Structure formats: C-alpha cells, structure tokens
Amino acid sequence: MMRQCVTAVVSRNETWTGSAASEPYECGWAGEAIVWLRCLSAKGKLAAARARVQISPDGMRWVDEGTKLKFPAKEGALTHARIAHFGNFLRVVADLPKGASAKILFTLTLKE
Amino acid sequence: MDIARALRQSNPKLSRFDPMSRIIAFDDFDDGFCGWTQLVGNYEHTLDSMLPGYAQHTQPQLSNLANWDSGTHGAFDGNYALKIQTRPKKGAQNVALKRLTFREPGPIRLEFYFTFKPEATELRLSETDVRSVGFLYDLQTGFEKGGSRVMPHVRFLNASDGVHLQKWQTKSRTTAIKPLGTEGKTVTHYHLAPTDWEDLPGGEQKLCYNEIPTKVNWHYVRYDFDLRTMRALSLRCNDREWDISGVDPIVMPAMRNLWCMLNICFFAEADTDKRTLFYVDSVCLSGEFA
C-alpha cells in the first residue's frame, strides 16, 4: 500500500492576537507531521512573537510537545517545524506582543 | 442482477447498504479521506472577500472517536470515521464535501451511517449542545439542458436555544446571490444561513443519543433523489421513512462553470459554545443506470 499523505488547512485567514491557539486537529493515523505557519498580513511589532506545538490526550487538555517554531512576523513569511510521535491530537499556539496581530494560514502536512 | 445483489450482500462492508444498481462511490474512512475535504468559500484577490459563514470552515478529520474517560470508541467498522468539527461557538458551522459530476441524469441514492456529540467538556448529558447535523447536494444540470443549479438541503435539528427539538427539516430558499471581487466571474451566496428551514411534516424523530456525552450509537440515512427531475424522492432514517417528493429544493439560475455538478456535503452546527462533532462512517452513493 502507498503511504497516506494529507494536507490539512486548519486555520485560514484567522486573526491571531495575544495568546492564540489553532483549532485542535485529530490525526493519530499519521506518524509524522510538518507544521506550517504562514503570515498573510501583519500589524504591529511581531519580532518577539513565539509559536510552539502542543499535544493532547483527548483534544481538550493540552501540553507543550517541546517543538518551538519561529512566528512568521512579516506578510508572506513562512515558518515550519517537523514533528513525530505526537499521539492523536495536534495544535499550534502562539504568544503575540500586546498591540500586534497577524492573519495566519496554519497548514499540517501529515504522512503515515 | 441477482448475482450482483448476492455478491453485495455477502460483502460485510456493503451488506448494510441497499444501493441502486450502480455504486458511484463507497467511502470507508479506514481507507483515508476518500475525496472528502473542507468546503472553502469563494473569493477573489483576497481571502477577506469570503463570506463569514464559509470563512469559519476547517478541514475534516479522520477520527477514532477518542474519549477522555473511556478511550477510543472506534467507528462503525474499523477504527476511523470522518469527523466534521465546528468551532466552540454558538451557531458555528462546518462543512465537508465530495466533488463529483454525474454522467446519467437519473435516480441516485445516498446512504450513510452517522452519529454526533458535543465535545465532552462538561460532566453533563449535554444533549442540547448540538444544534443540527445534515447533508445537502449541490447540483447543476448539463449545459444543453438550459440550466438550473439545485441544492436540496436536509438537516436533523437536534436543538435550538437549549430546546431539544429532534426533527428533520428541509430548505427551499437561499440568501441573495452576491458578486465577488472585480472581475465579474465569481459570485457567492450563503445557503446554510439559519433562515428558511422548514419542518418536514411528521418529521419528529427520537434518535439514540445515549446517556453520557462520550457514548455514541450509529444511525442510518437513505436519501433518494432524481437528477432528471431534480427533485427529492424519499428520506429514511433508521426505522422511519418519509415521502418528500413534495419538498422543493433550493433552485437558482445555472452558474457559468458548474455543469453536471454533483457535490455531496455534510454539515454540523453548534447550539452552545462547545464544538459539535459530527461523525460519518461510511458513505455509499449509488445510481440507477445501465
């Protein structure tokens, strides 16, 4: 059998401010994932913004998985992180400086 | 044909369906997404032009129905079901769809097994947190036929504003068609607006919700539609069946790039600030043609 590979657009044109989180995404069938964050537009000073991957046993309670990724601070910027062994639920959270915001495209590339 | 029927009935995956003579699609989500993706709204030049009703949509998921208190529930068969999940906001919706075209304008039958629950964020029954789950076709006649776009909608209205209603509804009208952008090529309308739903006469039905938010039971739906007349024929859910030949679908003028379109959509709506989780496993689309 060929390996399944799926692209999931979890957040499209969402405005993120302050402590932001993507919707949870269940993908336990996948053994590996690439988390992509693309900035569609930016307002304010985003240089200090940070993003990280979280995992969950049930899709409701979240802990840091340990992977951090750069926050895409300028329009058109694209950042990513490769992860594996993440269980069943994934999401990305970000902390943006006060007064700053970004429109985000959050994509998962998932593969068995 | 008796041999074909016997073969289907001896196949455990197909035996629980009652398809017409030709199976157009059989989607078992243990095999992957099988062509089911998110409904993305129309836009031109910028995603900001997308109507808010579509902007909220996210990707469907392959779920094993994992619960915090009892672990993986699993699907109807195998481990995975298609999950359509809303955002945690009252009135939030999400839509997954499969995009096909048709080759014979005749009778088609959609069959699927489904269940739904709110996200189990409270230790309560939560039976009125899901507003509705439903399905629709997005169809258009062939170019030579002159042209209508036809969108029959059906939903199970579980609850509204905390009242447990449990009834089937249909829809015959959509919102006004609006042009998008500046090129004169793209339009949009919001057919899943909360307005214009009508009760199906005699359409009250008590489903098996079960007794805590982490137990689910699967239900059967069969929906017959005629692509020649572009009208619905019948609706069945478990042990109830309705003649819906008198129900008008949404009809609008044909659009420029949608000839012979046969899209199937599943949608979910939340009635409280909790995610609605709508599960489907599996789907059989069949047709009556030689």
Side-chain angles (χ1 to χ4, degrees), chain B residues 54-91:
Chain B
Y54 299 114
Q56 67 184 317
H57 294 170
T58 61
Q59 202 84 23
Q61 303 165 49
L62 292 179
S63 174
N64 61 23
L65 288 81
N67 294 307
W68 71 271
D69 60 347
S70 51
T72 289
H73 201 298
F76 191 112
D77 72 353
N79 210 30
Y80 292 109
L82 186 73
K83 177 168 77 173
I84 297 125
Q85 171 181 290
T86 71
R87 292 166 193 270
K89 187 178 178 189
K90 182 174 181 175

mmCIF file of all heavy atoms in Angstrom, chain B residues 54-91:
data_model
loop_
_atom_site.group_PDB
_atom_site.id
_atom_site.type_symbol
_atom_site.label_atom_id
_atom_site.label_comp_id
_atom_site.label_asym_id
_atom_site.label_seq_id
_atom_site.Cartn_x
_atom_site.Cartn_y
_atom_site.Cartn_z
ATOM 1 N N TYR B 54 -18.533 30.906 5.449
ATOM 2 C CA TYR B 54 -17.572 29.964 4.865
ATOM 3 C C TYR B 54 -16.191 30.102 5.494
ATOM 4 O O TYR B 54 -15.446 29.127 5.577
ATOM 5 C CB TYR B 54 -17.471 30.180 3.358
ATOM 6 C CG TYR B 54 -18.764 29.965 2.614
ATOM 7 C CD1 TYR B 54 -19.416 31.017 1.981
ATOM 8 C CD2 TYR B 54 -19.346 28.708 2.553
ATOM 9 C CE1 TYR B 54 -20.606 30.823 1.304
ATOM 10 C CE2 TYR B 54 -20.538 28.499 1.882
ATOM 11 C CZ TYR B 54 -21.165 29.567 1.250
ATOM 12 O OH TYR B 54 -22.350 29.370 0.593
ATOM 13 N N ALA B 55 -15.848 31.316 5.914
ATOM 14 C CA ALA B 55 -14.505 31.545 6.458
ATOM 15 C C ALA B 55 -14.245 30.700 7.703
ATOM 16 O O ALA B 55 -13.098 30.367 8.001
ATOM 17 C CB ALA B 55 -14.319 33.027 6.778
ATOM 18 N N GLN B 56 -15.301 30.327 8.425
ATOM 19 C CA GLN B 56 -15.139 29.562 9.665
ATOM 20 C C GLN B 56 -14.824 28.077 9.411
ATOM 21 O O GLN B 56 -14.475 27.354 10.342
ATOM 22 C CB GLN B 56 -16.421 29.658 10.498
ATOM 23 C CG GLN B 56 -17.608 28.948 9.834
ATOM 24 C CD GLN B 56 -18.909 29.114 10.599
ATOM 25 O OE1 GLN B 56 -18.934 29.002 11.817
ATOM 26 N NE2 GLN B 56 -19.988 29.408 9.889
ATOM 27 N N HIS B 57 -14.952 27.614 8.178
ATOM 28 C CA HIS B 57 -14.800 26.182 7.912
ATOM 29 C C HIS B 57 -13.354 25.731 8.089
ATOM 30 O O HIS B 57 -12.423 26.477 7.792
ATOM 31 C CB HIS B 57 -15.259 25.852 6.495
ATOM 32 C CG HIS B 57 -16.722 26.058 6.272
ATOM 33 N ND1 HIS B 57 -17.312 26.022 5.034
ATOM 34 C CD2 HIS B 57 -17.728 26.311 7.146
ATOM 35 C CE1 HIS B 57 -18.614 26.242 5.149
ATOM 36 N NE2 HIS B 57 -18.886 26.430 6.432
ATOM 37 N N THR B 58 -13.195 24.486 8.538
ATOM 38 C CA THR B 58 -11.869 23.894 8.688
ATOM 39 C C THR B 58 -11.878 22.495 8.076
ATOM 40 O O THR B 58 -12.912 21.983 7.668
ATOM 41 C CB THR B 58 -11.444 23.809 10.161
ATOM 42 O OG1 THR B 58 -12.381 22.981 10.846
ATOM 43 C CG2 THR B 58 -11.418 25.167 10.812
ATOM 44 N N GLN B 59 -10.689 21.904 8.048
ATOM 45 C CA GLN B 59 -10.517 20.611 7.380
ATOM 46 C C GLN B 59 -11.237 19.505 8.158
ATOM 47 O O GLN B 59 -11.172 19.456 9.382
ATOM 48 C CB GLN B 59 -9.021 20.287 7.340
ATOM 49 C CG GLN B 59 -8.628 19.295 6.280
ATOM 50 C CD GLN B 59 -8.407 19.975 4.928
ATOM 51 O OE1 GLN B 59 -8.140 21.162 4.856
ATOM 52 N NE2 GLN B 59 -8.500 19.201 3.864
ATOM 53 N N PRO B 60 -11.913 18.586 7.471
ATOM 54 C CA PRO B 60 -12.426 17.411 8.187
ATOM 55 C C PRO B 60 -11.261 16.565 8.701
ATOM 56 O O PRO B 60 -10.103 16.767 8.285
ATOM 57 C CB PRO B 60 -13.235 16.665 7.117
ATOM 58 C CG PRO B 60 -12.662 17.103 5.814
ATOM 59 C CD PRO B 60 -12.186 18.512 6.024
ATOM 60 N N GLN B 61 -11.570 15.645 9.592
ATOM 61 C CA GLN B 61 -10.540 14.841 10.241
ATOM 62 C C GLN B 61 -10.887 13.356 10.154
ATOM 63 O O GLN B 61 -12.058 13.012 10.016
ATOM 64 C CB GLN B 61 -10.425 15.265 11.723
ATOM 65 C CG GLN B 61 -10.122 16.751 11.887
ATOM 66 C CD GLN B 61 -10.349 17.274 13.303
ATOM 67 O OE1 GLN B 61 -9.884 16.683 14.261
ATOM 68 N NE2 GLN B 61 -11.050 18.387 13.412
ATOM 69 N N LEU B 62 -9.863 12.521 10.250
ATOM 70 C CA LEU B 62 -10.096 11.089 10.420
ATOM 71 C C LEU B 62 -9.992 10.814 11.904
ATOM 72 O O LEU B 62 -8.930 10.983 12.505
ATOM 73 C CB LEU B 62 -9.064 10.275 9.645
ATOM 74 C CG LEU B 62 -9.153 10.365 8.129
ATOM 75 C CD1 LEU B 62 -8.056 9.519 7.484
ATOM 76 C CD2 LEU B 62 -10.522 9.924 7.614
ATOM 77 N N SER B 63 -11.110 10.401 12.496
ATOM 78 C CA SER B 63 -11.196 10.284 13.947
ATOM 79 C C SER B 63 -11.419 8.839 14.360
ATOM 80 O O SER B 63 -12.156 8.097 13.702
ATOM 81 C CB SER B 63 -12.372 11.138 14.450
ATOM 82 O OG SER B 63 -12.568 10.926 15.829
ATOM 83 N N ASN B 64 -10.802 8.467 15.484
ATOM 84 C CA ASN B 64 -11.137 7.169 16.088
ATOM 85 C C ASN B 64 -12.053 7.360 17.302
ATOM 86 O O ASN B 64 -12.228 6.458 18.096
ATOM 87 C CB ASN B 64 -9.882 6.370 16.443
ATOM 88 C CG ASN B 64 -8.995 7.079 17.447
ATOM 89 O OD1 ASN B 64 -9.446 7.932 18.203
ATOM 90 N ND2 ASN B 64 -7.725 6.719 17.453
ATOM 91 N N LEU B 65 -12.646 8.541 17.413
ATOM 92 C CA LEU B 65 -13.595 8.879 18.469
ATOM 93 C C LEU B 65 -12.966 8.620 19.849
ATOM 94 O O LEU B 65 -13.460 7.830 20.651
ATOM 95 C CB LEU B 65 -14.921 8.116 18.323
ATOM 96 C CG LEU B 65 -15.837 8.557 17.164
ATOM 97 C CD1 LEU B 65 -15.386 7.950 15.843
ATOM 98 C CD2 LEU B 65 -17.281 8.166 17.422
ATOM 99 N N ALA B 66 -11.851 9.303 20.089
ATOM 100 C CA ALA B 66 -11.133 9.137 21.349
ATOM 101 C C ALA B 66 -11.802 9.955 22.448
ATOM 102 O O ALA B 66 -12.100 11.135 22.257
ATOM 103 C CB ALA B 66 -9.682 9.587 21.168
ATOM 104 N N ASN B 67 -12.044 9.327 23.580
ATOM 105 C CA ASN B 67 -12.715 9.991 24.695
ATOM 106 C C ASN B 67 -11.825 10.046 25.922
ATOM 107 O O ASN B 67 -11.059 9.116 26.190
ATOM 108 C CB ASN B 67 -14.005 9.239 25.044
ATOM 109 C CG ASN B 67 -15.011 9.323 23.918
ATOM 110 O OD1 ASN B 67 -15.344 10.397 23.449
ATOM 111 N ND2 ASN B 67 -15.474 8.173 23.457
ATOM 112 N N TRP B 68 -11.949 11.126 26.682
ATOM 113 C CA TRP B 68 -11.099 11.319 27.853
ATOM 114 C C TRP B 68 -11.368 10.271 28.934
ATOM 115 O O TRP B 68 -10.484 9.904 29.696
ATOM 116 C CB TRP B 68 -11.288 12.714 28.443
ATOM 117 C CG TRP B 68 -12.621 12.898 29.129
ATOM 118 C CD1 TRP B 68 -13.775 13.314 28.558
ATOM 119 C CD2 TRP B 68 -12.913 12.639 30.501
ATOM 120 N NE1 TRP B 68 -14.786 13.330 29.483
ATOM 121 C CE2 TRP B 68 -14.289 12.923 30.693
ATOM 122 C CE3 TRP B 68 -12.165 12.202 31.605
ATOM 123 C CZ2 TRP B 68 -14.919 12.773 31.927
ATOM 124 C CZ3 TRP B 68 -12.795 12.057 32.831
ATOM 125 C CH2 TRP B 68 -14.152 12.339 32.990
ATOM 126 N N ASP B 69 -12.611 9.765 29.006
ATOM 127 C CA ASP B 69 -12.992 8.892 30.116
ATOM 128 C C ASP B 69 -12.981 7.413 29.751
ATOM 129 O O ASP B 69 -12.958 6.566 30.634
ATOM 130 C CB ASP B 69 -14.390 9.261 30.614
ATOM 131 C CG ASP B 69 -15.449 9.127 29.532
ATOM 132 O OD1 ASP B 69 -15.083 8.985 28.350
ATOM 133 O OD2 ASP B 69 -16.645 9.156 29.870
ATOM 134 N N SER B 70 -13.037 7.105 28.466
ATOM 135 C CA SER B 70 -13.233 5.712 28.067
ATOM 136 C C SER B 70 -12.395 5.314 26.868
ATOM 137 O O SER B 70 -12.596 4.229 26.315
ATOM 138 C CB SER B 70 -14.717 5.467 27.766
ATOM 139 O OG SER B 70 -15.194 6.453 26.854
ATOM 140 N N GLY B 71 -11.490 6.172 26.454
ATOM 141 C CA GLY B 71 -10.588 5.828 25.368
ATOM 142 C C GLY B 71 -11.264 5.822 24.011
ATOM 143 O O GLY B 71 -12.323 6.412 23.817
ATOM 144 N N THR B 72 -10.644 5.129 23.099
ATOM 145 C CA THR B 72 -11.119 5.138 21.713
ATOM 146 C C THR B 72 -12.411 4.350 21.562
ATOM 147 O O THR B 72 -12.499 3.195 21.972
ATOM 148 C CB THR B 72 -10.022 4.568 20.793
ATOM 149 O OG1 THR B 72 -8.974 5.520 20.715
ATOM 150 C CG2 THR B 72 -10.550 4.305 19.401
ATOM 151 N N HIS B 73 -13.390 5.014 20.975
ATOM 152 C CA HIS B 73 -14.678 4.379 20.729
ATOM 153 C C HIS B 73 -14.642 3.583 19.438
ATOM 154 O O HIS B 73 -15.255 2.525 19.321
ATOM 155 C CB HIS B 73 -15.749 5.485 20.645
ATOM 156 C CG HIS B 73 -17.140 5.023 20.892
ATOM 157 N ND1 HIS B 73 -17.769 4.107 20.085
ATOM 158 C CD2 HIS B 73 -18.033 5.354 21.844
ATOM 159 C CE1 HIS B 73 -19.006 3.906 20.542
ATOM 160 N NE2 HIS B 73 -19.176 4.639 21.615
ATOM 161 N N GLY B 74 -13.906 4.104 18.438
ATOM 162 C CA GLY B 74 -13.857 3.458 17.131
ATOM 163 C C GLY B 74 -15.039 3.850 16.270
ATOM 164 O O GLY B 74 -15.968 4.527 16.702
ATOM 165 N N ALA B 75 -14.985 3.407 15.018
ATOM 166 C CA ALA B 75 -16.002 3.795 14.041
ATOM 167 C C ALA B 75 -17.039 2.691 13.899
ATOM 168 O O ALA B 75 -17.073 1.748 14.685
ATOM 169 C CB ALA B 75 -15.314 4.079 12.707
ATOM 170 N N PHE B 76 -17.904 2.830 12.872
ATOM 171 C CA PHE B 76 -18.902 1.776 12.654
ATOM 172 C C PHE B 76 -18.185 0.470 12.340
ATOM 173 O O PHE B 76 -18.483 -0.570 12.910
ATOM 174 C CB PHE B 76 -19.844 2.157 11.501
ATOM 175 C CG PHE B 76 -21.039 1.266 11.383
ATOM 176 C CD1 PHE B 76 -22.308 1.750 11.655
ATOM 177 C CD2 PHE B 76 -20.916 -0.063 11.004
ATOM 178 C CE1 PHE B 76 -23.427 0.921 11.563
ATOM 179 C CE2 PHE B 76 -22.011 -0.892 10.906
ATOM 180 C CZ PHE B 76 -23.276 -0.401 11.190
ATOM 181 N N ASP B 77 -17.261 0.540 11.377
ATOM 182 C CA ASP B 77 -16.382 -0.610 11.183
ATOM 183 C C ASP B 77 -14.958 -0.084 11.075
ATOM 184 O O ASP B 77 -14.717 1.031 10.641
ATOM 185 C CB ASP B 77 -16.797 -1.470 9.981
ATOM 186 C CG ASP B 77 -16.513 -0.819 8.640
ATOM 187 O OD1 ASP B 77 -16.110 0.357 8.619
ATOM 188 O OD2 ASP B 77 -16.696 -1.486 7.628
ATOM 189 N N GLY B 78 -14.022 -0.898 11.549
ATOM 190 C CA GLY B 78 -12.649 -0.423 11.595
ATOM 191 C C GLY B 78 -12.491 0.653 12.646
ATOM 192 O O GLY B 78 -13.314 0.777 13.568
ATOM 193 N N ASN B 79 -11.448 1.454 12.491
ATOM 194 C CA ASN B 79 -11.094 2.402 13.543
ATOM 195 C C ASN B 79 -11.519 3.836 13.241
ATOM 196 O O ASN B 79 -11.778 4.607 14.158
ATOM 197 C CB ASN B 79 -9.565 2.363 13.738
ATOM 198 C CG ASN B 79 -9.157 2.673 15.153
ATOM 199 O OD1 ASN B 79 -9.899 2.389 16.092
ATOM 200 N ND2 ASN B 79 -7.983 3.251 15.317
ATOM 201 N N TYR B 80 -11.604 4.196 11.946
ATOM 202 C CA TYR B 80 -11.710 5.613 11.606
ATOM 203 C C TYR B 80 -13.045 6.004 10.980
ATOM 204 O O TYR B 80 -13.602 5.278 10.159
ATOM 205 C CB TYR B 80 -10.585 6.008 10.644
ATOM 206 C CG TYR B 80 -9.231 5.961 11.304
ATOM 207 C CD1 TYR B 80 -8.313 4.967 10.972
ATOM 208 C CD2 TYR B 80 -8.876 6.887 12.271
ATOM 209 C CE1 TYR B 80 -7.077 4.909 11.594
ATOM 210 C CE2 TYR B 80 -7.651 6.837 12.887
ATOM 211 C CZ TYR B 80 -6.742 5.844 12.551
ATOM 212 O OH TYR B 80 -5.527 5.797 13.177
ATOM 213 N N ALA B 81 -13.509 7.173 11.386
ATOM 214 C CA ALA B 81 -14.693 7.808 10.801
ATOM 215 C C ALA B 81 -14.288 9.200 10.339
ATOM 216 O O ALA B 81 -13.302 9.774 10.806
ATOM 217 C CB ALA B 81 -15.811 7.908 11.833
ATOM 218 N N LEU B 82 -15.081 9.756 9.426
ATOM 219 C CA LEU B 82 -14.886 11.156 9.039
ATOM 220 C C LEU B 82 -15.499 12.028 10.126
ATOM 221 O O LEU B 82 -16.647 11.812 10.525
ATOM 222 C CB LEU B 82 -15.582 11.428 7.696
ATOM 223 C CG LEU B 82 -15.341 12.814 7.096
ATOM 224 C CD1 LEU B 82 -13.928 12.930 6.544
ATOM 225 C CD2 LEU B 82 -16.354 13.087 5.985
ATOM 226 N N LYS B 83 -14.731 13.007 10.603
ATOM 227 C CA LYS B 83 -15.228 13.920 11.651
ATOM 228 C C LYS B 83 -15.328 15.334 11.100
ATOM 229 O O LYS B 83 -14.338 15.862 10.585
ATOM 230 C CB LYS B 83 -14.300 13.900 12.869
ATOM 231 C CG LYS B 83 -14.730 14.885 13.965
ATOM 232 C CD LYS B 83 -13.998 14.653 15.272
ATOM 233 C CE LYS B 83 -12.592 15.174 15.258
ATOM 234 N NZ LYS B 83 -11.949 15.094 16.590
ATOM 235 N N ILE B 84 -16.508 15.929 11.242
ATOM 236 C CA ILE B 84 -16.722 17.331 10.873
ATOM 237 C C ILE B 84 -16.926 18.065 12.190
ATOM 238 O O ILE B 84 -17.872 17.776 12.935
ATOM 239 C CB ILE B 84 -17.932 17.475 9.940
ATOM 240 C CG1 ILE B 84 -17.664 16.722 8.632
ATOM 241 C CG2 ILE B 84 -18.236 18.942 9.645
ATOM 242 C CD1 ILE B 84 -18.693 15.717 8.275
ATOM 243 N N GLN B 85 -16.054 18.991 12.486
ATOM 244 C CA GLN B 85 -15.988 19.616 13.811
ATOM 245 C C GLN B 85 -16.184 21.119 13.691
ATOM 246 O O GLN B 85 -15.473 21.788 12.943
ATOM 247 C CB GLN B 85 -14.620 19.303 14.410
ATOM 248 C CG GLN B 85 -14.255 20.037 15.683
ATOM 249 C CD GLN B 85 -12.864 19.644 16.133
ATOM 250 O OE1 GLN B 85 -12.619 18.539 16.562
ATOM 251 N NE2 GLN B 85 -11.923 20.574 16.008
ATOM 252 N N THR B 86 -17.136 21.662 14.442
ATOM 253 C CA THR B 86 -17.318 23.115 14.438
ATOM 254 C C THR B 86 -16.354 23.764 15.422
ATOM 255 O O THR B 86 -15.734 23.108 16.253
ATOM 256 C CB THR B 86 -18.739 23.512 14.857
ATOM 257 O OG1 THR B 86 -18.895 23.261 16.268
ATOM 258 C CG2 THR B 86 -19.793 22.762 14.065
ATOM 259 N N ARG B 87 -16.293 25.068 15.338
ATOM 260 C CA ARG B 87 -15.596 25.831 16.370
ATOM 261 C C ARG B 87 -16.482 25.890 17.627
ATOM 262 O O ARG B 87 -17.689 25.647 17.543
ATOM 263 C CB ARG B 87 -15.299 27.239 15.862
ATOM 264 C CG ARG B 87 -14.278 27.225 14.743
ATOM 265 C CD ARG B 87 -14.201 28.524 13.992
ATOM 266 N NE ARG B 87 -13.449 28.366 12.769
ATOM 267 C CZ ARG B 87 -12.124 28.548 12.665
ATOM 268 N NH1 ARG B 87 -11.434 28.934 13.710
ATOM 269 N NH2 ARG B 87 -11.501 28.365 11.525
ATOM 270 N N PRO B 88 -15.888 26.216 18.782
ATOM 271 C CA PRO B 88 -16.670 26.210 20.026
ATOM 272 C C PRO B 88 -17.448 27.501 20.221
ATOM 273 O O PRO B 88 -17.161 28.300 21.120
ATOM 274 C CB PRO B 88 -15.587 26.023 21.105
ATOM 275 C CG PRO B 88 -14.371 26.664 20.522
ATOM 276 C CD PRO B 88 -14.443 26.440 19.048
ATOM 277 N N LYS B 89 -18.435 27.704 19.397
ATOM 278 C CA LYS B 89 -19.207 28.942 19.453
ATOM 279 C C LYS B 89 -20.640 28.667 19.017
ATOM 280 O O LYS B 89 -20.866 27.989 18.008
ATOM 281 C CB LYS B 89 -18.572 29.988 18.524
ATOM 282 C CG LYS B 89 -19.188 31.360 18.640
ATOM 283 C CD LYS B 89 -18.476 32.345 17.735
ATOM 284 C CE LYS B 89 -19.145 33.709 17.838
ATOM 285 N NZ LYS B 89 -18.640 34.652 16.846
ATOM 286 N N LYS B 90 -21.583 29.201 19.758
ATOM 287 C CA LYS B 90 -22.988 29.007 19.400
ATOM 288 C C LYS B 90 -23.237 29.488 17.965
ATOM 289 O O LYS B 90 -22.865 30.599 17.604
ATOM 290 C CB LYS B 90 -23.885 29.770 20.375
ATOM 291 C CG LYS B 90 -25.368 29.563 20.091
ATOM 292 C CD LYS B 90 -26.237 30.217 21.145
ATOM 293 C CE LYS B 90 -27.708 29.951 20.838
ATOM 294 N NZ LYS B 90 -28.596 30.451 21.874
ATOM 295 N N GLY B 91 -23.871 28.635 17.172
ATOM 296 C CA GLY B 91 -24.153 28.977 15.780
ATOM 297 C C GLY B 91 -23.045 28.614 14.810
ATOM 298 O O GLY B 91 -23.232 28.732 13.596
#
